Amino acid sequence: MQEASGVSSDQTNEEFDGANADRPHVVLSRRRRWVVTTGVMLGMFLAALEATVVGTAMPTVIASLGGLDRYSWVFSAYLLAATVTVPVWGRLSDLYGRRTLYLIGVAFFLIGSALSGASLTITQLIIFRGIQGLGAGALIPLSMTINGDIYTLKERAKMQGLFSGVWGLASILGPLAGGFITDHFTWRWVFYINIPFGLAAAAVVGFALVEPKRAEKPVIDYAGALWLTLSVTLLLFALVETGDLAFLATPKMLAVVAGAVVFGLLFVRAERKAIDPIVPFSLFRNRVVAVGSITSFMVGAAMFGALSFIPLFVQGAMGGSATEAGILLTPFLLGWVVMAVVGGRLMLSIGYRPTVLAGLTVLIVSFAFLAMFGRTTPRWELLTDMAMMGAGMGLVMFALLITMQNSVGRGQLGIATSLNQFSRSIGQTVGVAVMGTVMTISLSAHLADIQQTSGLPAEEVQRVVHNSSALIDPLARAHLKPELLKAMETALAGALHNVFLVGMLFAVIALVSGFWLPRRDLISSEDARQAVKPSTAKPREEIPSSAAQCERLLMAEMTVIDSENEPAAVETAD
């Protein structure tokens, strides 16, 4: 790898100042730079691992702490806190430096992890997961930003492959690690395991990263972040409490809904006035950005249905272990990573719109199969369906990302990328709350069937159904009467059947919105082959034209890229 100071000036891109392109913002020795890279990759690995490792442990967590009706809140609290704080962390790091804010983010993440592992009630776990999410909102984007600070433009493009490899590895290992730790130790170690690695990452970055003083004073949209958090939190509360039909017509529910609407309007007002808004509404005048954001929202909502409720289906309805649940999620994540790269090549051959529609069709078919599965479904059918679902996600999300990036000018590339990720994250947050409510209502509707099948008194049936450990804990299952166990498994499978139908509905809405994408590609294949040549590149022609470039952009699917560190078309050596 060339030293940053030794790159010749004839490689200067017409869109970038030569000094900025050939010299990193933070100049470090080669050894110190690799030490910092190791530290930020370790932190990013933890945040990526946490996104998947908890899913396989959650059924056991619920069995230990109770609160099946609050199942979705454990995910929603983490996702909401991480999503709304991402832009705040980024702006604060511009003001106070990457190292300081990165260390504060790691501290939040580790404190939240320690408290989550020590939780005694489901309410405590939800609160502590929110604290953990605050830290997660800093780890991934600031890792990418630090990478942009210490490497030149050309070197940064090469490093993207390494970062996306780390993310892919964490995504694949997460479900397996969560299942193994839960089965062989305790679910609490799913959170405690973050502490030693997080401390190592903080120590490495704290000692090795030395930054120059910053003169710029960025404007931070605190009001937008506050109103968005309050509005979405109240919306999630309303969605979750919908499971209690007696709560729907109460003044408290009306106040919650009214509060969500009022704070939502305040958010819109704040964003229109903000100098640097979290959600730039002006971009929605662009048809591709508007349709792409809606599609990303719906696909995100559908995706988290698989990641959150498949483990519960495997352990509760099929009698499997946490490790088996983790194994079933692995093909989903592996299929996503592989097909994201394949989708980049396919997009150049047939266009972005057919690629998106094909991926959405595959996603709908996979959810339709998932909704038909029951207690006795063979494991290989589940594995195959998970791989199909992951393949659909890979095709859709990567093609949408590149399409939205390619529909805007160079100066808006970073915010378009952020909006893609933001839409998907909010979709995940809302989707898991909706599906959790559907599961609660469906389980309540099966109480009479369970009582009739088992022949037990209504009081005993209610007691057992609300104690989820009876289905997930092997010892508790062994003490249930066979007819009651079968009835409960059938009821849970039926409730999750409805959950997966909701996931399919989200995917169908995404497909309908996908048809609104313009038919004409924004760039021809011939133009794409010229996009990496600095002398001929245009602002709207910066999409990948090779598998290697697709791999380097994979990380942009999972994180937020600011305008200073956005991916660029640069000349690379053969």
Side-chain angles (χ1 to χ4, degrees), residues 28 32-48 98-99 101-103 106 138-151 159 162-163 166-167 197-206 208-209 211 555 559:
L28 302 174
R32 185 180 287 267
R33 188 164 59 169
W34 274 108
V35 171
V36 172
T37 301
T38 302
V40 296
M41 281 198 300
L42 182 57
M44 190 182 69
F45 181 84
L46 284 178
R98 317 291 189 211
R99 181 179 64 175
L101 270 296
Y102 183 85
L103 296 179
V106 171
L139 287 184
I140 295 178
L142 289 188
S143 294
M144 297 300 298
T145 304
I146 292 172
N147 175 54
D149 280 343
I150 66 177
Y151 289 100
M159 291 301 297
L162 184 59
F163 273 75
V166 169
W167 183 278
F197 295 104
L199 290 175
V204 168
V205 174
L209 181 60
E211 298 181 282
M555 197 53 227
T559 187

Side-chain angles (χ1 to χ4, degrees), residues 449-463:
D449 295 335
I450 296 175
Q451 182 182 359
Q452 182 178 2
T453 303
S454 63
L456 296 175
E459 295 77 10
E460 184 175 351
V461 171
Q462 288 188 359
R463 179 183 60 80

Side-chain angles (χ1 to χ4, degrees), residues 518-540:
R519 290 181 179 275
R520 181 179 62 84
D521 272 355
L522 301 175
I523 183 172
S524 67
S525 296
E526 179 62 30
D527 290 337
R529 286 190 287 271
Q530 300 297 324
V532 293
K533 296 183 180 180
S535 60
T536 60
K538 298 179 182 179
R540 300 166 79 89

